[in-house]
Amino acid sequence: MTGTEQTPEVQGQVRDAVRGNWVDRWAPARARPYLRLSRADRPIGTWLLLLPCWWGLLLSMVADGQARWFDLWIFAGCGIGAVLMRGAGCTWNDITDRHIDGSVARTASRPIPSGQVTTKQALAWAVVQCLIAFCILITFPPMAIALGVLALLPVAIYPFAKRFTWWPQVFLGIAFNWGALLAWTAHSGTLGLPAVLLYLAGMAWTLFYDTIYAHQDKEDDALIGVKSTARLFGDDTPRWLSRFLVVTVFLMGAAIVLAAPDGNIMALVVMIFGPWAMGWHMIWQMRRLKMDNHDRLLELFRSNRDAGLLPVLFFAGALLA
């Protein structure tokens, strides 16, 4: 090793973080370990948590044909809340996985196993993020507040799922797509069937992208006994991904049909292009899939930000139809 070379562990960087990210370049040194706990150096998770929120909000707005100033706050509040709750969830995940992460090449450089922060410091940071997020949540209608509090349950359970089930991605889907229910309810004041179908579509999408992601760790997971859909499916993964794709598109389409306002055929047509375009993006991912190429797996996983943004664009366009 030359004098100018440094490993991610020496620099404090996390191995699978985006190179040259803002945390490593510009954040104060004392804040970096906490921002890394929150995955601020890896924004894709925040997008994957946020996008179902925007789906739910926009679909609810199209359904009742109302666009109020408060919806701008819901839109922004979901964005801030996604940053905070993704950060709190990832911090909690790192606390519960601190002994496992040190045994996995991709995660050994995370702040707790690498010694950048203590477990107590990480727990305090998780609590701070939850409290700030709660301050945003209480500005929403009562039922949305109740849903937001209830969301803490799957967040708390998820890190333990890979210890007792081959389907931990289901628990991730339960937690990560909760915003579809919450944002719909924040706009409408009540929970509707289209929001539930949208939520289930998001869960199928999570199974799709997180199975791709989990293939990065399958060798290490096998050694330490951690379960995942990647290990469960093995070489049959492409067939399962196809199933998740179909379920995602079908359920999102069903949600759209139920939510579309009577007589507004144009809004229905515009919205239907959302799952159609998202489905084609998922097909593109499958065509590029190489299950033993870690760089390709991470690239495809990150591309799901664009996949999830496609319905957002078409749902927003339907508001103008």
Side-chain angles (χ1 to χ4, degrees):
M1 178 180 292
T2 67
T4 58
E5 290 179 332
Q6 288 182 299
T7 65
E9 290 79 6
V10 171
Q11 296 175 324
Q13 299 170 350
V14 178
R15 179 171 177 172
D16 59 352
V18 177
R19 297 297 94 182
N21 64 81
W22 73 273
V23 173
D24 294 336
R25 295 178 63 186
W26 298 313
R30 293 184 64 180
R32 287 174 188 169
Y34 298 97
L35 293 171
R36 289 168 182 148
L37 277 173
S38 299
R39 310 291 196 270
D41 53 349
R42 285 156 286 169
I44 179 59
T46 300
W47 279 108
L48 296 176
L49 183 63
L50 172 60
L51 291 170
C53 299
W54 285 352
W55 296 350
L57 171 61
L58 291 168
L59 193 62
S60 184
M61 292 170 67
V62 174
D64 63 16
Q66 298 184 40
R68 302 182 294 267
W69 286 110
F70 184 66
D71 294 321
L72 288 176
W73 168 240
I74 299 174
F75 188 88
C78 286
I80 301 169
V83 172
L84 291 166
M85 289 310 299
R86 190 257 182 148
C90 288
T91 303
W92 173 244
N93 183 81
D94 282 9
I95 291 170
T96 60
D97 283 358
R98 61 191 182 277
H99 301 302
I100 295 175
D101 285 346
S103 303
V104 178
R106 186 179 58 82
T107 59
S109 55
R110 288 179 177 176
I112 297 177
S114 63
Q116 297 177 53
V117 296
T118 66
T119 302
K120 289 183 178 179
Q121 289 171 330
L123 183 59
W125 178 234
V127 171
V128 167
Q129 292 173 96
C130 286
L131 289 175
I132 299 173
F134 183 71
C135 291
I136 297 172
L137 180 65
I138 59 176
T139 67
F140 290 174
M143 190 169 182
I145 295 173
L147 284 170
V149 173
L150 187 60
L152 291 174
L153 183 60
V155 170
I157 294 174
Y158 165 66
F160 302 100
K162 57 183 170 288
R163 294 166 169 82
F164 63 81
T165 178
W166 287 101
W167 294 82
Q169 281 71 23
V170 170
F171 289 85
L172 181 67
I174 291 171
F176 254 57
N177 296 281
W178 202 272
L181 305 175
L182 193 152
W184 170 287
T185 306
H187 170 82
S188 66
T190 59
L191 185 60
L193 180 57
V196 175
L197 293 175
L198 197 63
Y199 174 62
L200 295 174
M203 287 181 60
W205 179 45
T206 300
L207 282 162
F208 178 91
Y209 65 66
D210 205 61
T211 296
I212 293 174
Y213 184 79
H215 269 280
Q216 297 177 92
D217 298 332
K218 58 190 176 185
E219 292 86 3
D220 288 329
D221 287 348
L223 289 174
I224 60 180
V226 169
K227 299 177 175 66
S228 72
T229 51
R231 288 189 61 205
L232 177 64
F233 301 155
D235 292 338
D236 205 29
T237 291
R239 183 179 301 178
W240 280 96
L241 294 181
S242 297
R243 293 167 180 167
F244 298 144
L245 186 162
V246 170
V247 173
T248 299
V249 172
F250 174 79
L251 289 175
M252 186 177 290
I256 288 168
V257 170
L258 288 177
D262 293 338
N264 194 339
I265 301 300
M266 182 58 68
L268 174 61
V269 171
V270 171
M271 286 193 294
I272 283 294
F273 274 103
W276 177 84
M278 184 177 180
W280 275 108
H281 192 290
M282 294 166 76
I283 290 173
W284 171 82
Q285 293 182 53
M286 291 181 58
R287 288 175 176 171
R288 287 179 52 81
L289 181 66
K290 293 183 179 180
M291 293 186 293
D292 294 319
N293 185 325
H294 288 201
D295 290 338
R296 178 64 60 83
L297 292 168
L298 187 57
E299 172 196 341
L300 293 177
F301 170 71
R302 288 173 175 167
S303 76
N304 279 280
R305 178 202 63 177
D306 298 336
L309 275 171
L310 291 169
V312 171
L313 297 176
F314 285 104
F315 290 0
L319 287 171
L320 306 176

